[in-house]
Amino acid sequence: MTPIRTGEYARSTATAQDWEPFVVGGEAIGEVHWIRTEGAEGATLHVGLWRSEPQSFPYPFTADETIHALDGELVIDLVDSGEQVVLKPGDIASFTKGTKSTWTVTEPFRKLFVISG
C-alpha cells in the first residue's frame, strides 16, 4: 500500500512487496518501508520500518534517530565512547546526530525508526 498522507497524518500498511533497499554511503544495508520522508514545511523527518538479516556495517547518525526494536537483536557499538547498546524486542533508544557507530545485526532484526533534525 502506498502511504496515505494528509496535512494532519500519515498512514501505511507494510506488505512483503512494500520494502526497498536502504542505502547508506552507496551500500544497501537491509530494507526499508517508508511511512514519512519529510516533516512540515520541509523539516527533516523520516519515519519507517527497517529490517535486516545478520550483518555488520558502520552507521553514522546523520540526524537524531530514535529506534523501537520490534524483532531480533541489534548490537550498536558507539565509536567515540566505546559503549555498546544491545536492542531486543520492546527496547527503545535515541541517538544524537553525529554519533559514529558500528551496527551488528546478530538475529534477523526489525525496527520502527524516527529520524529528525
Side-chain angles (χ1 to χ4, degrees):
M1 167 184 174
T2 301
I4 297 168
R5 291 183 178 85
T6 72
E8 297 179 321
Y9 76 96
R11 179 176 180 262
S12 182
T13 302
T15 67
Q17 294 78 27
D18 295 326
W19 296 81
E20 62 187 67
F22 186 70
V23 179
V24 174
E27 184 95 17
I29 54 167
E31 296 178 305
V32 65
H33 171 79
W34 293 108
I35 299 168
R36 290 184 70 162
T37 56
E38 67 179 44
E41 301 176 10
T44 298
L45 177 62
H46 302 286
V47 181
L49 297 171
W50 180 79
R51 66 184 181 188
S52 175
E53 293 298 317
Q55 63 174 315
S56 185
F57 53 89
Y59 185 78
F61 288 93
T62 58
D64 294 338
E65 183 168 345
T66 300
I67 297 168
H68 181 195
L70 302 173
D71 296 304
E73 183 178 274
L74 170 64
V75 177
I76 300 175
D77 290 301
L78 304 178
V79 173
D80 292 337
S81 69
E83 291 181 67
Q84 189 174 75
V85 179
V86 179
L87 298 177
K88 296 180 181 183
D91 291 340
I92 300 171
S94 194
F95 300 89
T96 306
K97 176 181 180 177
T99 300
K100 297 177 184 117
S101 66
T102 299
W103 289 23
T104 302
V105 178
T106 58
E107 298 174 15
F109 187 76
R110 199 167 50 103
K111 69 175 180 168
L112 171 71
F113 67 89
V114 176
I115 297 172
S116 60

